[in-house]
Amino acid sequence: MVSRVIPVDPFDLVIFGGTGDLARRKILPALFRRFCAGQMQEGTRIIGAARAEMDDVDYRAFVAEALIEFNDGHGCEEGTIAAFQRILSYVTLDALGENGWADLAAKMHDGRVRAFYFSVGPSLFGALAEKLHEHGMADSDTRIVVEKPFGRDLSTAKALNRALADHFDEGQIYRIDHYLGKETVQNLMAIRFGNMLFEPLWNSQYVDHIQITVAETVGVGGRGEYYDRSGAMRDMVQNHLMQLLCLIAMEPPAKFEPDSVRDEKLKVIRALDEVLPDQIVRGQYLAEGDKPGYLDHVETTDSTTESFIALKVHISNWRWAGTPFYLRTGKRLKARSSEIAVVFKATPHSIFGPEAGRHRNILTIRLQPNEGIDLDVTIKEPGPGGMRLIDVPLDMTFTEALGPDAEDVADAYERLIMDVVRGNQTLFMRGDEVEAAWAWTDPIIAGWETRGDDPIAYESGSSGPEEALALMHRDGRKWREVRA
Ligand code: NAD
């Protein structure tokens, strides 16, 4: 199997915040890999723009260092970094002042796709949009890419949407959620809508419940100050877990096209029920040995921000009424593991008698590590001695099933940035989706703030607070083990 690379016409990409952490760790390595793959044609240009005083030569050296540090050993022949450096340039620029804007405008080519990646804090989004307009760079060929966090509640998200809408149409705005760029997440749609096998069973009549877990082993580390103002609900659930939930739960879109898909996702968010206090468990990790606890990372020693959250969520629509969705995410957990598990109901009657036990099919979509899909199928335990049943996984780990090319699949940032250049918004969040997600999230947060709920302390390296286990136990269900 050979992956197909379709070159795109030459484009100009400006990275505002081109010296920042995200640019170094994700955006520049992603661009480099697409360059190595042969997707960029002669004449394509990448322009870093940030406050630091640098010239083109400094920036090229800066990017080469970032590539060496963060490119995960992706193989490129010698000389490729030098070739990539030739398409790079840099402008020292202040989003809040006049400095640098005329220089940037002078670098733009007419009549080609222009993308501006806002890899800066959201407080600068409005100023950047305004400046692009003032300096004649906000025309119909322009696309802007904005990073999370897209607001911290409904009113700030609305303000950001308004600020961008002053100068750009919705069709020009690409709100990134890198989870949507993951290969397996797109495979989720391929599995649902490309097979006859699953979709007829994809409803409350056959699905007992769905679990979505995004577990991290890292703590908040150096991001403590930012994270403490956010917490797991805002940082992970409102965006990433919500997007996964939407793709699992949405109705089949008529076409795999941006608005068809996003219309269906929006309907899911609007059908989410209010979450009651006893359907929420929040936690904060404790120190372990020489590893600091959550409170050691943040300024307020009595912070009540959660580093873990588990929720039981209901979708009130024809397809899902009665099938709960359990979501959980947290830091400093026992393994780095993200997965979606669709747990089907047991057969209505066991012809094998009680000793055979009751079994369920589980479809697991693993996002990381070992991206792939498992389907637990019930079979007879081999050997004599009667009909005993066991569950065995039909395991499709992509790298095993698809060979070495599967390891070379573009990562989320590579795919999403090239989608921006190609003008495909299917995997980006629309403004109304983001607002609907905040409209659901806000009352949940307001609820625990009003009640003064404190997060429950949990051991580092555990699966989170015991109470999160109880959230499922009392429904006669259990979480799948968090394991790498
Ligand atoms: P950072 O602090 O490392 O870098 C910020 C960049 O913005 C720098 O290049 C800086 O020069 C530039 N900048 C700041 N003020 C400016 C101004 N007035 N004019 C021009 N440039 C200015 O931040 P980061 O970690 O790269 O994050 C950037 C954005 O991406 C943030 O909104 C962050 O929340 C988001 N994000 C970051 C990550 C990550 O892994 N770092 C992940 C997801 C989202």
Side-chain angles (χ1 to χ4, degrees):
M1 194 192 72
V2 177
S3 10
R4 272 187 319 142
V5 173
I6 303 170
V8 293
D9 289 341
F11 59 91
D12 289 345
L13 172 69
V14 177
I15 310 171
F16 291 121
T19 59
D21 179 63
L22 182 67
R24 290 172 62 240
R25 286 194 308 113
K26 296 288 181 191
I27 303 171
L28 289 160
L31 287 164
F32 177 58
R33 289 195 291 271
R34 288 296 90 206
F35 177 82
C36 295
Q39 203 158 24
M40 295 179 196
Q41 301 207 39
E42 188 71 34
T44 292
R45 287 169 342 142
I46 296 166
I47 303 161
R51 271 188 310 196
E53 293 286 344
M54 278 194 203
D55 60 17
D56 291 352
V57 176
D58 299 333
Y59 192 60
R60 288 173 184 151
F62 170 89
V63 173
E65 261 178 44
L67 296 180
I68 290 160
E69 189 174 352
F70 294 109
N71 197 29
D72 287 346
H74 276 260
C76 282
E77 300 109 47
E78 247 187 75
T80 322
I81 290 193
F84 183 64
Q85 282 176 316
R86 285 195 280 278
I87 73 170
L88 298 172
S89 60
Y90 183 79
V91 177
T92 302
L93 168 147
D94 185 359
L96 301 172
E98 279 310 311
N99 187 24
W101 285 96
D103 298 342
L104 183 64
K107 280 180 181 272
M108 294 290 110
H109 285 95
D110 284 334
R112 57 157 69 178
V113 167
R114 249 175 221 175
F116 294 94
Y117 200 126
F118 290 14
S119 181
V120 295
S123 61
L124 297 180
F125 290 177
L128 288 175
E130 187 68 42
K131 289 281 185 223
L132 286 173
H133 166 73
E134 257 177 50
H135 291 269
M137 287 178 272
D139 64 20
S140 58
D141 290 326
T142 304
R143 290 156 200 179
I144 59 170
V145 185
V146 293
E147 264 296 339
K148 82 169 201 187
F150 200 83
R152 55 172 283 108
D153 53 24
L154 179 58
S155 80
T156 48
K158 278 186 167 170
L160 284 176
N161 275 336
R162 275 196 303 270
L164 299 181
D166 278 346
H167 303 299
F168 298 98
D169 293 338
E170 183 59 38
Q172 297 177 280
I173 306 170
Y174 291 72
R175 295 176 195 78
I176 276 208
D177 185 321
H178 69 274
Y179 272 57
L180 291 180
K182 286 178 186 281
E183 185 72 7
T184 342
V185 172
Q186 288 166 73
N187 239 316
L188 173 59
M189 288 186 274
I191 288 168
R192 279 194 64 190
F193 305 127
N195 294 284
M196 197 55 214
L197 199 58
F198 299 110
E199 197 50 29
L201 307 180
W202 212 260
N203 56 53
S204 59
Q205 202 180 339
Y206 298 102
V207 176
D208 179 73
H209 72 278
I210 290 173
Q211 306 183 12
I212 304 179
T213 299
V214 177
E216 298 178 283
T217 48
V218 292
V220 294
R223 291 174 70 223
E225 197 190 326
Y226 157 77
Y227 192 91
D228 201 42
R229 280 182 269 116
S230 169
M233 186 72 178
R234 289 189 171 98
D235 192 49
M236 296 296 291
V237 177
Q238 184 274 343
N239 39 45
H240 306 316
L241 276 79
M242 177 71 73
Q243 289 296 318
L244 299 179
L245 172 80
C246 285
L247 295 180
I248 284 277
M250 71 183 181
E251 294 301 313
K255 290 191 175 144
F256 190 59
E257 283 181 353
D259 282 335
S260 292
V261 172
R262 298 185 302 177
D263 287 347
E264 296 307 335
K265 281 160 58 193
L266 180 62
K267 285 184 210 162
V268 173
I269 304 174
R270 290 191 173 150
L272 290 172
D273 278 359
E274 180 192 347
V275 181
L276 302 174
D278 67 351
Q279 296 170 341
I280 307 169
V281 176
R282 295 165 65 237
Q284 217 177 51
Y285 62 84
L286 292 166
E288 183 203 17
D290 56 358
K291 285 193 182 158
Y294 181 83
L295 292 177
D296 301 318
H297 286 298
V298 297
E299 279 172 7
T300 25
T301 49
D302 56 354
S303 165
T304 58
T305 303
E306 74 286 352
S307 60
F308 173 97
I309 188 162
L311 301 156
K312 178 181 173 185
V313 174
H314 285 285
I315 301 175
S316 273
N317 65 14
W318 192 278
R319 185 185 284 263
W320 292 116
T323 294
F325 287 68
Y326 298 91
L327 318 180
R328 69 178 160 167
T329 180
K331 296 198 174 287
R332 271 293 168 72
L333 297 179
K334 90 161 53 127
R336 175 171 175 263
S337 149
S338 302
E339 64 167 43
I340 301 166
V342 181
V343 181
F344 289 89
K345 290 185 174 169
T347 51
H349 163 72
S350 171
I351 64 168
F352 307 110
E355 62 282 1
R358 300 302 299 280
H359 296 259
R360 297 165 189 276
N361 300 118
I362 303 177
L363 177 71
T364 311
I365 297 131
R366 294 191 307 270
L367 308 182
Q368 65 187 23
N370 310 323
E371 288 194 36
I373 289 157
D374 276 340
L375 177 63
D376 283 359
V377 180
T378 304
I379 61 163
K380 176 186 171 300
E381 192 177 327
M387 196 62 154
R388 290 184 307 274
L389 303 183
I390 52 166
D391 297 327
V392 292
L394 292 180
D395 177 354
M396 194 178 88
T397 300
F398 292 158
T399 47
E400 285 166 18
L402 305 175
D405 276 356
E407 287 176 28
D408 275 345
V409 290
D411 88 354
Y413 275 91
E414 289 175 62
R415 174 173 296 118
L416 293 173
I417 294 172
M418 294 325 285
D419 277 357
V420 173
V421 175
R422 283 185 290 248
N424 183 350
Q425 289 187 305
T426 310
L427 300 175
F428 295 83
M429 294 177 295
R430 209 168 53 192
D432 52 0
E433 253 186 273
V434 176
E435 290 184 13
W438 280 121
W440 175 76
T441 310
D442 278 2
I444 300 175
I445 296 176
W448 74 57
E449 284 177 354
T450 314
R451 292 189 301 275
D453 292 351
D454 284 333
I456 301 159
Y458 63 94
E459 301 286 336
S460 287
S462 69
S463 310
E466 290 288 317
E467 286 75 356
L469 306 181
L471 183 72
M472 288 196 83
H473 278 170
R474 63 173 189 246
D475 294 342
R477 301 181 172 112
K478 67 177 198 293
W479 290 106
R480 288 165 58 78
E481 201 173 326
V482 176
R483 55 168 181 241

